[in-house]
Amino acid sequence: NTPGVQTVVMYVIGGGCSELDSAEVNITVNPTPAVVVTPVTNPICNGSNTNVTASGATSYVWSPASGLSATTGATVNAFPTVTSTYNIAGTTGSCVGNTSIEIEVLNPPNAAFTSAADTIDCNTSVLLDGASSTDVTTFAWTFPGGSPATSNASGDMVTFNTAGDQNIQMIVSNSCGTDTAEFTLNVRNNCGI
């Protein structure tokens, strides 16, 4: 189990004369390859690809084949359509080391939010929630006539002190693009009451 040159010695005692003899042999134990895999880009956008390079061994076998340009070689091109895990067996001599890598596939974001109400009284708070959006890295809200006026959270409680229709906008983004959702909240004209 220890890499390097190991010396094995055999002693024999024979006959009734207690004769002693020995023989030895050197055995070279090769280390298991420490395979390292590096993608150029991870995550990737759906429909794009990334080169993935393995190192630490002499030859490589990649699996599964789906979403790969090749199943052998140090560098392959990965173009999965869903987040996928690839296994890499690296061989040096008769020794094999294994590792794996997950290539995350992102879809463009989809903006969707809910409002606890579509009409509220003036000086009233309402919960605006963007948690139903998908594939989102960042949120950017604008609440005209509201407090706060902006937010980068997935949702927020917002108080409106201005009567009339308030056009709320949420922009979501990830490295594959942006999407926008808008909603008109009616604030009743009872701010002075």
Side-chain angles (χ1 to χ4, degrees):
N1 292 323
T2 305
V5 178
Q6 310 296 328
T7 301
V8 178
V9 181
M10 178 183 67
Y11 296 98
V12 293
I13 300 174
C17 302
S18 298
E19 296 278 339
L20 174 66
D21 197 4
S22 66
E24 70 178 48
V25 65
N26 290 328
I27 300 174
T28 301
V29 180
N30 294 317
T32 299
V35 180
V36 177
V37 182
T38 307
V40 173
T41 306
N42 195 16
I44 63 172
C45 297
N46 199 344
S48 64
N49 60 74
T50 184
N51 281 338
V52 186
T53 301
S55 60
T58 305
S59 63
Y60 307 90
V61 176
W62 302 70
S63 64
S66 176
L68 294 177
S69 62
T71 56
T72 60
T75 300
V76 300
N77 186 264
F79 48 91
T81 57
V82 296
T83 297
S84 301
T85 299
Y86 295 101
N87 299 302
I88 304 93
T91 303
T92 300
S94 60
C95 300
V96 180
N98 292 283
T99 191
S100 63
I101 186 169
E102 181 182 81
I103 303 296
E104 182 182 1
V105 177
L106 293 178
N107 292 306
N110 179 44
F113 71 88
T114 58
S115 173
D118 56 8
T119 301
I120 62 171
D121 289 329
C122 195
N123 299 317
T124 301
S125 297
V126 64
L127 175 63
L128 300 165
D129 186 3
S132 57
S133 300
T134 57
D135 297 299
V136 177
T137 304
T138 61
F139 291 85
W141 293 85
T142 54
F143 311 113
S147 178
T150 62
S151 176
N152 296 115
S154 62
D156 220 328
M157 287 292 291
V158 185
T159 303
F160 289 88
N161 298 316
T162 303
D165 288 339
Q166 306 301 324
N167 297 314
I168 298 162
Q169 183 183 69
M170 179 187 70
I171 300 173
V172 295
S173 63
N174 65 19
S175 58
C176 299
T178 62
D179 192 27
T180 302
E182 296 180 341
F183 173 72
T184 300
L185 176 71
N186 178 264
V187 181
R188 293 186 182 99
N189 189 15
N190 57 0
C191 295
I193 298 175

